């Protein structure tokens, strides 16, 4: 799974941006939201993870876009993750916490 330095987001719901054509698995999805520290952000949106993002939807910060892109990569359940400096748009403390969450959850 690849995440670029400049994450891309579809004009879709946040959930659909994360599951990205994969079958929805609630336990896995909730775990990934926690790993990527998205729960607090979702509570601020009008329809939480069903909020539309993109051209006609909720505006996301660079850090939120990066964490959604990371969540999409993790949700894909692939064997190899390529992170092209995706952490650069995150605050250092948050980036370290998320990296450690990924590291200890996925044993990379």
């Amino acid at each position: 799974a690849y995440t670029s330095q400049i994450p891309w987001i579809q004009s879709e719901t946040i959930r659909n941006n994360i599951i990205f054509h994969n079958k929805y698995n609630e336990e896995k999805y909730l775990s990934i939201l926690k790993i990527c520290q998205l729960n607090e952000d979702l509570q601020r949106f009008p329809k939480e993870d069903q909020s539309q993002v993109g051209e006609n939807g909720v505006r996301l910060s660079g850090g939120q876009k990066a964490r959604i892109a990371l969540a999409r990569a993790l949700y894909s359940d692939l064997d190899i993750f390529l992170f092209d400096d995706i952490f650069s748009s995150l605050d250092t403390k948050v980036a370290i916490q998320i990296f450690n969450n990924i590291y200890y959850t996925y044993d990379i």
Side-chain angles (χ1 to χ4, degrees):
Y2 173 73
T3 59
S4 67
Q5 185 174 10
I6 302 169
W8 62 272
I9 301 294
Q10 301 179 90
S11 290
E12 238 328 324
T13 65
I14 294 170
R15 181 184 292 184
N16 286 341
N17 267 284
I18 294 171
I19 65 172
F20 194 64
H21 306 295
N22 292 298
K23 186 176 178 181
Y24 178 69
N25 176 317
E26 186 170 17
E27 183 179 338
K28 176 179 167 182
Y29 178 75
L30 295 175
S31 172
I32 289 170
L33 291 180
K34 184 176 179 181
I35 290 168
C36 294
Q37 297 185 5
L38 283 164
N39 288 317
E40 212 173 286
D41 294 282
L42 294 179
Q43 291 173 359
R44 294 183 186 140
F45 296 137
K47 296 180 183 176
E48 297 185 354
D49 71 340
Q50 292 300 312
S51 294
Q52 193 78 18
V53 294
E55 290 180 23
N56 297 318
V58 174
R59 296 191 67 140
L60 300 172
S61 71
Q64 289 167 329
K65 288 178 184 178
R67 288 181 287 133
I68 289 171
L70 278 169
R72 179 175 45 243
L74 296 175
Y75 196 87
S76 69
D77 225 7
L78 297 173
D79 293 331
I80 298 172
F81 299 110
L82 300 173
F83 300 139
D84 181 10
D85 203 21
I86 191 72
F87 296 102
S88 66
S89 60
L90 301 176
D91 154 303
T92 304
K93 181 181 174 185
V94 172
I96 290 169
Q97 290 172 342
I98 291 174
F99 182 82
N100 286 336
N101 289 344
I102 294 169
Y103 182 83
Y104 291 113
T105 302
Y106 289 88
D107 195 28
I108 56 176

